Amino acid sequence: GFTLMDLVSYNSKHNEANLEGNNDGCNDNHSWNCGVEGPTDDVKINALRERQRKNMMATLFLSLGVPMIQCGDEVGATQNGNNNSYCQDNELTWRNLWELTPEQERFLKFVRKLIEIRRTEVVLQRRRFFCGEVSKFSGLKDIIWKHPEGRNMHPHEWDDGNCRSILVLMEGSSIDEMGEDGRRIIGNTLCLLINADHKPVTFELPFHPKNRK
């Protein structure tokens, strides 16, 4: 498959180097080149690509389950649009993780920050999925989805293609799991502001009944 960088840099696969007439590899990559196929000097397009990569990394590390990334995605490695590099034991697939550009260093710093959040916030380390139900211990739902206006989402809005922004509360006092010491696990409550629109969106932050961090 595509590297993370290629996912935001190519609309189509480019497997010509495999000498199979570009017929190998998957054609359904769910990718978007942000306006130009392949590398570009356009500052706005490169900024958009970096923002899209940050969006996808944040989605991965702030979700439940075991986050898995491909080696090199943390620094923006590219395979020049090749999504089936099984036969490429060369510079196309080799990863130079020691001589980074300032842009690569900046993105690596962002990924490290996500890893730090993941390691320190226990609500992201739950053993069970969220269910949206009230905890018998805290009296609060384990997760709440809200409209940017601060109200609960209406059922029809989940199917509304124009509703591209949402606020998520992950309740740290409603984990309802025990740690190795036999004590109930309690952590911070996380508030995620997610905006997939091309325009800035103002969010109304919700009132938390226990005034938790």
Side-chain angles (χ1 to χ4, degrees), residues 6-20:
D6 289 354
L7 197 62
V8 299
S9 303
Y10 295 91
N11 282 346
S12 306
K13 66 182 182 182
H14 293 270
N15 297 351
E16 292 82 3
N18 297 350
L19 303 180
E20 297 186 36

Side-chain angles (χ1 to χ4, degrees), residues 13-192:
K13 66 182 182 182
H14 293 270
N15 297 351
E16 292 82 3
N18 297 350
L19 303 180
E20 297 186 36
N22 203 33
N23 293 314
D24 63 305
C26 181
N27 293 314
D28 188 15
N29 296 289
H30 301 284
S31 60
W32 178 44
N33 64 17
C34 298
V36 173
E37 190 75 353
T40 179
D41 294 327
D42 190 298
V43 175
K44 290 184 178 180
I45 290 180
N46 285 329
L48 176 57
R49 288 175 175 177
E50 181 176 351
R51 187 162 70 248
Q52 292 290 73
R53 288 189 292 133
K54 286 182 175 180
N55 289 339
M56 287 184 270
M57 276 291 188
T59 300
L60 176 66
F61 279 98
L62 300 179
S63 300
L64 298 191
V66 179
M68 301 179 68
I69 65 173
Q70 178 174 274
C71 177
D73 280 349
E74 73 276 20
V75 296
T78 179
Q79 293 179 174
N80 301 328
N82 192 321
N83 72 351
N84 192 35
S85 56
Y86 71 100
C87 59
Q88 302 295 331
D89 184 14
N90 49 46
E91 289 84 358
L92 190 68
T93 56
W94 296 344
R95 299 289 181 255
N96 183 354
L97 305 178
W98 299 272
E99 299 176 1
L100 303 180
T101 65
E103 292 77 15
Q104 289 176 315
E105 290 279 7
R106 182 174 65 243
F107 192 75
L108 178 60
K109 182 179 179 180
F110 175 79
V111 175
R112 284 173 171 163
K113 181 61 177 179
L114 287 175
I115 293 173
E116 179 185 351
I117 294 173
R118 178 79 184 202
R119 293 179 61 183
T120 55
E121 299 297 343
V122 295
V123 74
L124 298 173
Q125 302 166 21
R126 294 170 55 105
R127 304 187 194 100
R128 300 180 181 88
F129 289 116
F130 293 104
C131 59
E133 297 180 355
V134 175
S135 164
K136 61 182 178 181
F137 295 108
S138 68
L140 301 172
K141 289 186 177 181
D142 57 1
I143 190 168
I144 299 176
W145 309 85
K146 287 185 174 289
H147 190 274
E149 295 175 355
R151 57 173 172 79
N152 291 338
M153 292 282 290
H154 295 313
H156 72 272
E157 289 176 323
W158 290 103
D159 299 317
D160 185 353
N162 294 318
C163 187
R164 302 188 180 97
S165 306
I166 195 170
L167 182 151
V168 186
L169 276 177
M170 299 179 179
E171 180 55 56
S173 65
S174 299
I175 298 176
D176 291 3
E177 297 174 10
M178 301 298 177
E180 295 181 355
D181 58 0
R183 297 181 179 180
R184 192 165 66 88
I185 299 174
I186 299 176
N188 293 323
T189 294
L190 300 188
C191 179
L192 308 183

